[in-house]
Amino acid sequence: MRTMPTVLAVFAHPDDMELLCAGTLKLLVDRGWTMATVTLCGGDLGSTTETREAIHARRLKEAEAGAAVVGGAYAWAGLDDFTLHYCPEQLVAVVEQLRRFAPDVVITHSPEDYLPDHEECSRLVRMACFTAGVPLYKTASPATGKPIPALYYADALEGKDLLGRPVVPMFRIDVTTTFAVRERALACHVSQREWLRSHHGIDQYLLENERLARGYGEHCGVRYAEGFRQHLGHAYPQENILGHALAGFLKADPAAIPSTPKD
């Protein structure tokens, strides 16, 4: 019996996965893939009314519920909000999660985004993909024994970098059929809606989610979409595993879709 691949979504905070790639993850789950999501931070600063300990516990439960709606497991990497930076100690925490789940495909934040936590998460995950299979690099779990996973960067929030310049994906996935699941998963994050209302002045959490996905969809002629770029540096997989797995939902110029080089 053929073993189906595993996809791991690794993001900075609870609710990032739901806002950026939950529709795509659900499409993969529906095709038999194993899915899990990890947040590096535990959402421990996302409240103006609760204690740090209370909001942390609440947000972890919400993240677990959101992942379950999409069809996968959830884990916290043990780090705190507003602390992410590329360093040996935090790299160990991220590599441990990649070894725990041993993914074939990893999705994380855009390297260019509005928030340093997102950008540092992207850096850590990029190195962790390379390091998870190195036997002499020690964490609590042994090396995966697998090749470097295919690495993808989700859309920057609102499709722009910190200077407002467009961050253009290599391809988009039509998530019209799974958008309702993305919305239900995001609705699990009740505390985040409260936080955005008080800190950002935003009181339309689910409507903003719909606006983002609809805006991405307008770029490729579908109702809702999620965009991705593949990391194609030396030693990382060159085949677009994600795009090929969801070929029927892929929206891109064929020339932009890398494939395995022919001998």
Side-chain angles (χ1 to χ4, degrees):
M1 182 177 178
R2 185 168 71 95
T3 301
M4 295 300 288
T6 295
V7 57
L8 181 65
V10 188
F11 289 96
H13 310 107
D15 92 338
D16 287 336
M17 175 275 284
E18 288 83 352
L19 281 167
L20 294 171
C21 67
T24 298
L25 294 175
K26 177 57 176 170
L27 288 172
L28 293 172
V29 168
D30 288 347
R31 279 146 189 80
W33 284 48
T34 298
M35 187 280 285
T37 185
V38 169
T39 62
L40 302 194
C41 305
D44 55 294
L45 296 178
S47 178
T48 58
T49 59
E50 299 184 61
T51 66
R52 191 168 182 174
E53 294 74 19
I55 191 60
H56 170 71
R58 187 177 175 190
R59 294 205 69 192
L60 292 186
K61 289 180 180 178
E62 291 171 349
E64 184 177 12
V69 168
V70 180
Y74 167 74
W76 169 48
L79 306 176
D80 295 328
D81 286 356
F82 299 176
T83 68
L84 292 189
H85 64 290
Y86 187 94
C87 66
E89 296 77 15
Q90 294 197 2
L91 181 60
V92 167
V94 182
V95 172
E96 172 61 23
Q97 294 303 319
L98 263 77
R99 289 179 169 179
R100 174 182 176 185
F101 292 104
D104 303 284
V105 169
V106 173
I107 303 174
T108 191
H109 284 291
S110 168
E112 312 88 16
D113 211 330
Y114 81 101
L115 190 66
D117 266 1
H118 291 187
E119 295 181 336
E120 291 300 298
C121 174
S122 186
R123 294 182 69 204
L124 286 162
V125 172
R126 171 184 169 186
M127 190 63 192
C129 286
F130 192 93
T131 308
V134 177
L136 293 180
Y137 185 88
K138 300 302 182 183
T139 70
S141 299
T144 60
K146 299 174 68 171
I148 298 170
L151 174 60
Y152 293 87
Y153 302 120
D155 277 315
L157 195 65
E158 295 187 336
K160 60 185 180 182
D161 69 10
L162 74 169
L163 297 178
R165 297 170 298 197
V167 177
V168 181
M170 290 177 175
F171 63 94
R172 299 182 190 275
I173 298 295
D174 179 358
V175 298
T176 303
T177 60
T178 55
F179 178 77
V181 174
R182 167 173 154 153
E183 194 169 50
R184 288 202 305 273
L186 187 64
C188 294
H189 295 268
V190 176
S191 67
Q192 185 67 351
R193 180 195 172 193
E194 297 168 355
W195 162 248
L196 291 175
R197 182 171 53 196
S198 62
H199 186 263
H200 291 39
I202 298 172
D203 193 24
Q204 296 181 318
Y205 194 35
L206 297 182
L207 291 178
E208 181 69 6
N209 172 56
E210 195 273 341
R211 184 189 70 80
L212 290 172
R214 178 166 35 84
Y216 301 145
E218 288 174 354
H219 286 285
C220 57
V222 301
R223 187 171 184 182
Y224 300 119
E226 295 168 349
F228 301 92
R229 290 176 293 164
Q230 184 175 3
H231 186 90
L232 295 174
H234 174 70
Y236 287 77
Q238 303 295 293
E239 178 186 1
N240 187 356
I241 298 173
L242 178 60
H244 292 161
L246 299 177
F249 301 87
L250 186 68
K251 301 297 177 181
D253 182 338
I257 305 302
S259 59
T260 303
K262 298 290 192 297
D263 293 332

mmCIF file of all heavy atoms in Angstrom, residues 111-159:
data_model
loop_
_atom_site.group_PDB
_atom_site.id
_atom_site.type_symbol
_atom_site.label_atom_id
_atom_site.label_comp_id
_atom_site.label_asym_id
_atom_site.label_seq_id
_atom_site.Cartn_x
_atom_site.Cartn_y
_atom_site.Cartn_z
ATOM 1 N N PRO A 111 9.171 35.123 3.247
ATOM 2 C CA PRO A 111 10.363 35.763 3.819
ATOM 3 C C PRO A 111 10.229 37.274 3.946
ATOM 4 O O PRO A 111 10.941 37.896 4.729
ATOM 5 C CB PRO A 111 11.472 35.405 2.820
ATOM 6 C CG PRO A 111 10.962 34.220 2.069
ATOM 7 C CD PRO A 111 9.473 34.396 2.003
ATOM 8 N N GLU A 112 9.309 37.869 3.154
ATOM 9 C CA GLU A 112 9.042 39.304 3.239
ATOM 10 C C GLU A 112 7.613 39.477 3.730
ATOM 11 O O GLU A 112 6.672 39.065 3.063
ATOM 12 C CB GLU A 112 9.188 39.986 1.874
ATOM 13 C CG GLU A 112 10.453 39.624 1.124
ATOM 14 C CD GLU A 112 10.294 38.383 0.264
ATOM 15 O OE1 GLU A 112 9.149 37.970 0.001
ATOM 16 O OE2 GLU A 112 11.318 37.818 -0.128
ATOM 17 N N ASP A 113 7.452 40.097 4.889
ATOM 18 C CA ASP A 113 6.117 40.249 5.457
ATOM 19 C C ASP A 113 6.104 41.481 6.348
ATOM 20 O O ASP A 113 7.139 42.129 6.547
ATOM 21 C CB ASP A 113 5.732 38.991 6.239
ATOM 22 C CG ASP A 113 4.239 38.696 6.216
ATOM 23 O OD1 ASP A 113 3.449 39.656 6.118
ATOM 24 O OD2 ASP A 113 3.855 37.516 6.290
ATOM 25 N N TYR A 114 4.943 41.770 6.909
ATOM 26 C CA TYR A 114 4.799 43.001 7.676
ATOM 27 C C TYR A 114 5.341 42.892 9.090
ATOM 28 O O TYR A 114 5.622 43.905 9.746
ATOM 29 C CB TYR A 114 3.326 43.425 7.729
ATOM 30 C CG TYR A 114 2.491 42.708 8.776
ATOM 31 C CD1 TYR A 114 2.171 43.320 9.985
ATOM 32 C CD2 TYR A 114 2.037 41.408 8.561
ATOM 33 C CE1 TYR A 114 1.416 42.664 10.950
ATOM 34 C CE2 TYR A 114 1.289 40.752 9.507
ATOM 35 C CZ TYR A 114 0.978 41.379 10.701
ATOM 36 O OH TYR A 114 0.240 40.712 11.646
ATOM 37 N N LEU A 115 5.524 41.665 9.596
ATOM 38 C CA LEU A 115 5.852 41.457 11.002
ATOM 39 C C LEU A 115 7.161 40.674 11.145
ATOM 40 O O LEU A 115 7.322 39.618 10.520
ATOM 41 C CB LEU A 115 4.710 40.690 11.683
ATOM 42 C CG LEU A 115 4.743 40.585 13.199
ATOM 43 C CD1 LEU A 115 4.568 41.971 13.824
ATOM 44 C CD2 LEU A 115 3.627 39.656 13.689
ATOM 45 N N PRO A 116 8.118 41.161 11.954
ATOM 46 C CA PRO A 116 9.369 40.433 12.129
ATOM 47 C C PRO A 116 9.190 38.990 12.597
ATOM 48 O O PRO A 116 9.950 38.109 12.187
ATOM 49 C CB PRO A 116 10.118 41.274 13.172
ATOM 50 C CG PRO A 116 9.624 42.670 12.937
ATOM 51 C CD PRO A 116 8.168 42.499 12.591
ATOM 52 N N ASP A 117 8.199 38.729 13.468
ATOM 53 C CA ASP A 117 7.955 37.346 13.886
ATOM 54 C C ASP A 117 7.712 36.443 12.678
ATOM 55 O O ASP A 117 8.170 35.294 12.650
ATOM 56 C CB ASP A 117 6.747 37.277 14.827
ATOM 57 C CG ASP A 117 7.138 37.334 16.298
ATOM 58 O OD1 ASP A 117 8.345 37.445 16.593
ATOM 59 O OD2 ASP A 117 6.236 37.270 17.145
ATOM 60 N N HIS A 118 6.977 36.925 11.679
ATOM 61 C CA HIS A 118 6.712 36.130 10.482
ATOM 62 C C HIS A 118 7.988 35.892 9.693
ATOM 63 O O HIS A 118 8.256 34.779 9.227
ATOM 64 C CB HIS A 118 5.688 36.843 9.596
ATOM 65 C CG HIS A 118 4.316 36.896 10.180
ATOM 66 N ND1 HIS A 118 3.227 37.365 9.463
ATOM 67 C CD2 HIS A 118 3.835 36.546 11.396
ATOM 68 C CE1 HIS A 118 2.149 37.299 10.217
ATOM 69 N NE2 HIS A 118 2.494 36.817 11.396
ATOM 70 N N GLU A 119 8.787 36.940 9.522
ATOM 71 C CA GLU A 119 10.010 36.813 8.739
ATOM 72 C C GLU A 119 11.037 35.915 9.423
ATOM 73 O O GLU A 119 11.713 35.115 8.769
ATOM 74 C CB GLU A 119 10.588 38.198 8.474
ATOM 75 C CG GLU A 119 9.685 39.054 7.602
ATOM 76 C CD GLU A 119 10.247 40.431 7.312
ATOM 77 O OE1 GLU A 119 11.086 40.910 8.115
ATOM 78 O OE2 GLU A 119 9.855 41.024 6.302
ATOM 79 N N GLU A 120 11.146 36.035 10.731
ATOM 80 C CA GLU A 120 12.086 35.172 11.458
ATOM 81 C C GLU A 120 11.617 33.722 11.470
ATOM 82 O O GLU A 120 12.423 32.795 11.388
ATOM 83 C CB GLU A 120 12.285 35.692 12.881
ATOM 84 C CG GLU A 120 13.028 37.012 12.959
ATOM 85 C CD GLU A 120 14.426 36.924 12.366
ATOM 86 O OE1 GLU A 120 15.253 36.146 12.880
ATOM 87 O OE2 GLU A 120 14.697 37.636 11.380
ATOM 88 N N CYS A 121 10.311 33.518 11.551
ATOM 89 C CA CYS A 121 9.764 32.164 11.426
ATOM 90 C C CYS A 121 10.171 31.561 10.092
ATOM 91 O O CYS A 121 10.605 30.413 10.020
ATOM 92 C CB CYS A 121 8.239 32.203 11.562
ATOM 93 S SG CYS A 121 7.428 30.619 11.245
ATOM 94 N N SER A 122 10.052 32.340 9.030
ATOM 95 C CA SER A 122 10.413 31.858 7.702
ATOM 96 C C SER A 122 11.875 31.442 7.649
ATOM 97 O O SER A 122 12.223 30.394 7.088
ATOM 98 C CB SER A 122 10.127 32.959 6.676
ATOM 99 O OG SER A 122 10.334 32.496 5.366
ATOM 100 N N ARG A 123 12.750 32.238 8.226
ATOM 101 C CA ARG A 123 14.187 31.908 8.246
ATOM 102 C C ARG A 123 14.460 30.627 9.025
ATOM 103 O O ARG A 123 15.226 29.762 8.594
ATOM 104 C CB ARG A 123 14.983 33.057 8.867
ATOM 105 C CG ARG A 123 14.994 34.346 8.088
ATOM 106 C CD ARG A 123 15.861 35.383 8.788
ATOM 107 N NE ARG A 123 17.273 35.018 8.730
ATOM 108 C CZ ARG A 123 18.197 35.440 9.590
ATOM 109 N NH1 ARG A 123 17.835 36.197 10.626
ATOM 110 N NH2 ARG A 123 19.450 35.083 9.452
ATOM 111 N N LEU A 124 13.837 30.513 10.196
ATOM 112 C CA LEU A 124 14.050 29.337 11.024
ATOM 113 C C LEU A 124 13.561 28.065 10.332
ATOM 114 O O LEU A 124 14.224 27.031 10.356
ATOM 115 C CB LEU A 124 13.335 29.516 12.367
ATOM 116 C CG LEU A 124 13.991 30.492 13.355
ATOM 117 C CD1 LEU A 124 12.993 30.924 14.420
ATOM 118 C CD2 LEU A 124 15.226 29.855 13.992
ATOM 119 N N VAL A 125 12.390 28.146 9.715
ATOM 120 C CA VAL A 125 11.827 26.971 9.050
ATOM 121 C C VAL A 125 12.683 26.572 7.847
ATOM 122 O O VAL A 125 12.924 25.388 7.604
ATOM 123 C CB VAL A 125 10.378 27.227 8.628
ATOM 124 C CG1 VAL A 125 9.843 26.096 7.768
ATOM 125 C CG2 VAL A 125 9.502 27.407 9.862
ATOM 126 N N ARG A 126 13.154 27.559 7.105
ATOM 127 C CA ARG A 126 14.024 27.266 5.955
ATOM 128 C C ARG A 126 15.240 26.458 6.391
ATOM 129 O O ARG A 126 15.583 25.447 5.780
ATOM 130 C CB ARG A 126 14.450 28.583 5.304
ATOM 131 C CG ARG A 126 15.518 28.444 4.228
ATOM 132 C CD ARG A 126 15.924 29.821 3.739
ATOM 133 N NE ARG A 126 17.106 29.768 2.906
ATOM 134 C CZ ARG A 126 17.738 30.850 2.449
ATOM 135 N NH1 ARG A 126 17.298 32.055 2.765
ATOM 136 N NH2 ARG A 126 18.820 30.722 1.693
ATOM 137 N N MET A 127 15.908 26.877 7.463
ATOM 138 C CA MET A 127 17.091 26.152 7.931
ATOM 139 C C MET A 127 16.710 24.819 8.548
ATOM 140 O O MET A 127 17.427 23.818 8.395
ATOM 141 C CB MET A 127 17.859 27.000 8.947
ATOM 142 C CG MET A 127 19.222 26.419 9.308
ATOM 143 S SD MET A 127 20.302 26.349 7.859
ATOM 144 C CE MET A 127 21.627 25.314 8.468
ATOM 145 N N ALA A 128 15.577 24.769 9.233
ATOM 146 C CA ALA A 128 15.152 23.519 9.858
ATOM 147 C C ALA A 128 14.866 22.440 8.822
ATOM 148 O O ALA A 128 15.127 21.262 9.054
ATOM 149 C CB ALA A 128 13.917 23.762 10.727
ATOM 150 N N CYS A 129 14.321 22.838 7.664
ATOM 151 C CA CYS A 129 14.093 21.860 6.592
ATOM 152 C C CYS A 129 15.403 21.210 6.173
ATOM 153 O O CYS A 129 15.463 20.004 5.925
ATOM 154 C CB CYS A 129 13.442 22.545 5.389
ATOM 155 S SG CYS A 129 11.714 22.966 5.615
ATOM 156 N N PHE A 130 16.452 22.018 6.093
ATOM 157 C CA PHE A 130 17.767 21.508 5.692
ATOM 158 C C PHE A 130 18.383 20.642 6.788
ATOM 159 O O PHE A 130 19.058 19.647 6.520
ATOM 160 C CB PHE A 130 18.688 22.692 5.381
ATOM 161 C CG PHE A 130 19.968 22.323 4.702
ATOM 162 C CD1 PHE A 130 20.062 22.335 3.319
ATOM 163 C CD2 PHE A 130 21.088 21.964 5.443
ATOM 164 C CE1 PHE A 130 21.237 22.001 2.677
ATOM 165 C CE2 PHE A 130 22.271 21.621 4.810
ATOM 166 C CZ PHE A 130 22.357 21.635 3.418
ATOM 167 N N THR A 131 18.113 20.993 8.042
ATOM 168 C CA THR A 131 18.814 20.398 9.186
ATOM 169 C C THR A 131 18.137 19.146 9.725
ATOM 170 O O THR A 131 18.793 18.302 10.344
ATOM 171 C CB THR A 131 18.913 21.453 10.311
ATOM 172 O OG1 THR A 131 19.466 22.656 9.774
ATOM 173 C CG2 THR A 131 19.786 20.967 11.457
ATOM 174 N N ALA A 132 16.851 18.987 9.502
ATOM 175 C CA ALA A 132 16.100 17.905 10.144
ATOM 176 C C ALA A 132 16.642 16.520 9.811
ATOM 177 O O ALA A 132 16.497 15.585 10.605
ATOM 178 C CB ALA A 132 14.625 17.991 9.750
ATOM 179 N N GLY A 133 17.271 16.370 8.662
ATOM 180 C CA GLY A 133 17.793 15.065 8.270
ATOM 181 C C GLY A 133 19.262 14.863 8.571
ATOM 182 O O GLY A 133 19.833 13.829 8.187
ATOM 183 N N VAL A 134 19.896 15.808 9.263
ATOM 184 C CA VAL A 134 21.336 15.730 9.555
ATOM 185 C C VAL A 134 21.547 14.967 10.861
ATOM 186 O O VAL A 134 21.205 15.477 11.936
ATOM 187 C CB VAL A 134 21.943 17.143 9.648
ATOM 188 C CG1 VAL A 134 23.417 17.067 10.021
ATOM 189 C CG2 VAL A 134 21.765 17.886 8.322
ATOM 190 N N PRO A 135 22.110 13.767 10.837
ATOM 191 C CA PRO A 135 22.188 12.938 12.049
ATOM 192 C C PRO A 135 23.002 13.552 13.181
ATOM 193 O O PRO A 135 22.684 13.337 14.359
ATOM 194 C CB PRO A 135 22.838 11.644 11.544
ATOM 195 C CG PRO A 135 22.547 11.604 10.086
ATOM 196 C CD PRO A 135 22.558 13.039 9.640
ATOM 197 N N LEU A 136 24.054 14.308 12.862
ATOM 198 C CA LEU A 136 24.912 14.854 13.909
ATOM 199 C C LEU A 136 24.344 16.105 14.570
ATOM 200 O O LEU A 136 24.894 16.579 15.562
ATOM 201 C CB LEU A 136 26.305 15.157 13.347
ATOM 202 C CG LEU A 136 27.118 13.917 12.934
ATOM 203 C CD1 LEU A 136 28.484 14.338 12.400
ATOM 204 C CD2 LEU A 136 27.284 12.951 14.107
ATOM 205 N N TYR A 137 23.246 16.638 14.040
ATOM 206 C CA TYR A 137 22.573 17.757 14.679
ATOM 207 C C TYR A 137 21.591 17.169 15.694
ATOM 208 O O TYR A 137 20.648 16.472 15.334
ATOM 209 C CB TYR A 137 21.835 18.619 13.654
ATOM 210 C CG TYR A 137 21.220 19.872 14.225
ATOM 211 C CD1 TYR A 137 21.960 21.044 14.313
ATOM 212 C CD2 TYR A 137 19.911 19.879 14.689
ATOM 213 C CE1 TYR A 137 21.398 22.208 14.842
ATOM 214 C CE2 TYR A 137 19.341 21.023 15.214
ATOM 215 C CZ TYR A 137 20.083 22.184 15.297
ATOM 216 O OH TYR A 137 19.523 23.323 15.828
ATOM 217 N N LYS A 138 21.811 17.457 16.961
ATOM 218 C CA LYS A 138 21.089 16.759 18.021
ATOM 219 C C LYS A 138 19.874 17.535 18.524
ATOM 220 O O LYS A 138 19.964 18.714 18.862
ATOM 221 C CB LYS A 138 22.032 16.474 19.200
ATOM 222 C CG LYS A 138 23.232 15.608 18.834
ATOM 223 C CD LYS A 138 22.804 14.261 18.265
ATOM 224 C CE LYS A 138 24.001 13.377 17.952
ATOM 225 N NZ LYS A 138 23.606 12.097 17.324
ATOM 226 N N THR A 139 18.745 16.853 18.553
ATOM 227 C CA THR A 139 17.556 17.316 19.257
ATOM 228 C C THR A 139 17.000 16.110 20.009
ATOM 229 O O THR A 139 17.586 15.015 19.966
ATOM 230 C CB THR A 139 16.490 17.882 18.301
ATOM 231 O OG1 THR A 139 15.914 16.811 17.546
ATOM 232 C CG2 THR A 139 17.080 18.925 17.353
ATOM 233 N N ALA A 140 15.866 16.265 20.659
ATOM 234 C CA ALA A 140 15.288 15.145 21.401
ATOM 235 C C ALA A 140 14.930 13.982 20.483
ATOM 236 O O ALA A 140 14.965 12.822 20.899
ATOM 237 C CB ALA A 140 14.053 15.612 22.162
ATOM 238 N N SER A 141 14.568 14.280 19.248
ATOM 239 C CA SER A 141 14.206 13.246 18.273
ATOM 240 C C SER A 141 15.350 13.013 17.302
ATOM 241 O O SER A 141 16.117 13.937 17.004
ATOM 242 C CB SER A 141 12.953 13.657 17.492
ATOM 243 O OG SER A 141 11.852 13.823 18.354
ATOM 244 N N PRO A 142 15.480 11.813 16.779
ATOM 245 C CA PRO A 142 16.546 11.543 15.808
ATOM 246 C C PRO A 142 16.258 12.193 14.464
ATOM 247 O O PRO A 142 15.128 12.633 14.187
ATOM 248 C CB PRO A 142 16.527 10.016 15.695
ATOM 249 C CG PRO A 142 15.128 9.630 16.028
ATOM 250 C CD PRO A 142 14.668 10.619 17.067
ATOM 251 N N ALA A 143 17.269 12.247 13.615
ATOM 252 C CA ALA A 143 17.105 12.772 12.266
ATOM 253 C C ALA A 143 16.029 11.983 11.526
ATOM 254 O O ALA A 143 15.806 10.795 11.792
ATOM 255 C CB ALA A 143 18.430 12.700 11.512
ATOM 256 N N THR A 144 15.367 12.643 10.592
ATOM 257 C CA THR A 144 14.228 12.031 9.909
ATOM 258 C C THR A 144 14.622 10.857 9.019
ATOM 259 O O THR A 144 13.802 9.981 8.761
ATOM 260 C CB THR A 144 13.515 13.070 9.030
ATOM 261 O OG1 THR A 144 14.438 13.561 8.047
ATOM 262 C CG2 THR A 144 12.995 14.227 9.873
ATOM 263 N N GLY A 145 15.855 10.863 8.503
ATOM 264 C CA GLY A 145 16.238 9.831 7.540
ATOM 265 C C GLY A 145 15.612 10.049 6.174
ATOM 266 O O GLY A 145 15.646 9.159 5.320
ATOM 267 N N LYS A 146 15.025 11.235 5.967
ATOM 268 C CA LYS A 146 14.366 11.570 4.717
ATOM 269 C C LYS A 146 15.095 12.723 4.030
ATOM 270 O O LYS A 146 15.824 13.489 4.684
ATOM 271 C CB LYS A 146 12.901 11.970 4.976
ATOM 272 C CG LYS A 146 12.062 10.866 5.605
ATOM 273 C CD LYS A 146 10.667 11.345 5.977
ATOM 274 C CE LYS A 146 9.822 11.656 4.770
ATOM 275 N NZ LYS A 146 8.409 11.914 5.156
ATOM 276 N N PRO A 147 14.888 12.889 2.732
ATOM 277 C CA PRO A 147 15.476 14.042 2.045
ATOM 278 C C PRO A 147 14.885 15.355 2.562
ATOM 279 O O PRO A 147 13.891 15.367 3.288
ATOM 280 C CB PRO A 147 15.082 13.810 0.573
ATOM 281 C CG PRO A 147 14.710 12.369 0.482
ATOM 282 C CD PRO A 147 14.162 11.992 1.823
ATOM 283 N N ILE A 148 15.507 16.458 2.158
ATOM 284 C CA ILE A 148 14.975 17.778 2.487
ATOM 285 C C ILE A 148 13.546 17.884 1.947
ATOM 286 O O ILE A 148 13.300 17.557 0.785
ATOM 287 C CB ILE A 148 15.845 18.881 1.859
ATOM 288 C CG1 ILE A 148 17.266 18.820 2.423
ATOM 289 C CG2 ILE A 148 15.241 20.263 2.109
ATOM 290 C CD1 ILE A 148 18.244 19.714 1.693
ATOM 291 N N PRO A 149 12.595 18.317 2.762
ATOM 292 C CA PRO A 149 11.221 18.453 2.254
ATOM 293 C C PRO A 149 11.098 19.620 1.283
ATOM 294 O O PRO A 149 11.874 20.577 1.334
ATOM 295 C CB PRO A 149 10.404 18.702 3.528
ATOM 296 C CG PRO A 149 11.375 19.303 4.483
ATOM 297 C CD PRO A 149 12.699 18.672 4.188
ATOM 298 N N ALA A 150 10.120 19.540 0.407
ATOM 299 C CA ALA A 150 9.817 20.669 -0.472
ATOM 300 C C ALA A 150 9.275 21.806 0.383
ATOM 301 O O ALA A 150 8.383 21.607 1.209
ATOM 302 C CB ALA A 150 8.793 20.250 -1.525
ATOM 303 N N LEU A 151 9.825 22.992 0.181
ATOM 304 C CA LEU A 151 9.494 24.137 1.027
ATOM 305 C C LEU A 151 8.740 25.194 0.220
ATOM 306 O O LEU A 151 9.194 25.597 -0.857
ATOM 307 C CB LEU A 151 10.773 24.752 1.600
ATOM 308 C CG LEU A 151 10.636 26.050 2.402
ATOM 309 C CD1 LEU A 151 9.741 25.860 3.621
ATOM 310 C CD2 LEU A 151 12.011 26.563 2.820
ATOM 311 N N TYR A 152 7.614 25.655 0.773
ATOM 312 C CA TYR A 152 6.789 26.669 0.118
ATOM 313 C C TYR A 152 6.540 27.831 1.066
ATOM 314 O O TYR A 152 6.353 27.638 2.271
ATOM 315 C CB TYR A 152 5.441 26.079 -0.307
ATOM 316 C CG TYR A 152 5.565 25.050 -1.399
ATOM 317 C CD1 TYR A 152 5.810 23.713 -1.076
ATOM 318 C CD2 TYR A 152 5.468 25.404 -2.740
ATOM 319 C CE1 TYR A 152 5.952 22.757 -2.075
ATOM 320 C CE2 TYR A 152 5.598 24.453 -3.736
ATOM 321 C CZ TYR A 152 5.840 23.131 -3.402
ATOM 322 O OH TYR A 152 5.994 22.195 -4.393
ATOM 323 N N TYR A 153 6.508 29.027 0.487
ATOM 324 C CA TYR A 153 6.167 30.228 1.227
ATOM 325 C C TYR A 153 4.753 30.653 0.854
ATOM 326 O O TYR A 153 4.428 30.819 -0.331
ATOM 327 C CB TYR A 153 7.138 31.357 0.878
ATOM 328 C CG TYR A 153 8.585 31.022 1.157
ATOM 329 C CD1 TYR A 153 9.526 31.015 0.132
ATOM 330 C CD2 TYR A 153 9.008 30.706 2.448
ATOM 331 C CE1 TYR A 153 10.852 30.717 0.382
ATOM 332 C CE2 TYR A 153 10.322 30.393 2.710
ATOM 333 C CZ TYR A 153 11.257 30.396 1.672
ATOM 334 O OH TYR A 153 12.566 30.085 1.924
ATOM 335 N N ALA A 154 3.911 30.826 1.857
ATOM 336 C CA ALA A 154 2.548 31.310 1.628
ATOM 337 C C ALA A 154 2.577 32.792 1.275
ATOM 338 O O ALA A 154 3.619 33.455 1.350
ATOM 339 C CB ALA A 154 1.704 31.071 2.874
ATOM 340 N N ASP A 155 1.423 33.311 0.876
ATOM 341 C CA ASP A 155 1.318 34.735 0.583
ATOM 342 C C ASP A 155 1.745 35.571 1.784
ATOM 343 O O ASP A 155 1.463 35.224 2.934
ATOM 344 C CB ASP A 155 -0.142 35.104 0.266
ATOM 345 C CG ASP A 155 -0.527 34.824 -1.173
ATOM 346 O OD1 ASP A 155 0.253 35.171 -2.068
ATOM 347 O OD2 ASP A 155 -1.624 34.272 -1.386
ATOM 348 N N ALA A 156 2.420 36.684 1.513
ATOM 349 C CA ALA A 156 2.540 37.714 2.537
ATOM 350 C C ALA A 156 1.141 38.260 2.808
ATOM 351 O O ALA A 156 0.304 38.310 1.906
ATOM 352 C CB ALA A 156 3.463 38.829 2.059
ATOM 353 N N LEU A 157 0.885 38.655 4.042
ATOM 354 C CA LEU A 157 -0.451 39.152 4.362
ATOM 355 C C LEU A 157 -0.772 40.368 3.493
ATOM 356 O O LEU A 157 0.041 41.291 3.369
ATOM 357 C CB LEU A 157 -0.543 39.520 5.840
ATOM 358 C CG LEU A 157 -1.963 39.712 6.353
ATOM 359 C CD1 LEU A 157 -2.736 38.406 6.303
ATOM 360 C CD2 LEU A 157 -1.966 40.254 7.773
ATOM 361 N N GLU A 158 -1.931 40.347 2.858
ATOM 362 C CA GLU A 158 -2.387 41.348 1.901
ATOM 363 C C GLU A 158 -1.527 41.384 0.639
ATOM 364 O O GLU A 158 -1.632 42.312 -0.165
ATOM 365 C CB GLU A 158 -2.463 42.740 2.538
ATOM 366 C CG GLU A 158 -3.499 42.839 3.649
ATOM 367 C CD GLU A 158 -3.675 44.254 4.161
ATOM 368 O OE1 GLU A 158 -2.748 45.078 4.020
ATOM 369 O OE2 GLU A 158 -4.752 44.547 4.699
ATOM 370 N N GLY A 159 -0.672 40.382 0.447
ATOM 371 C CA GLY A 159 0.111 40.292 -0.773
ATOM 372 C C GLY A 159 1.158 41.373 -0.941
ATOM 373 O O GLY A 159 1.548 41.700 -2.070
#
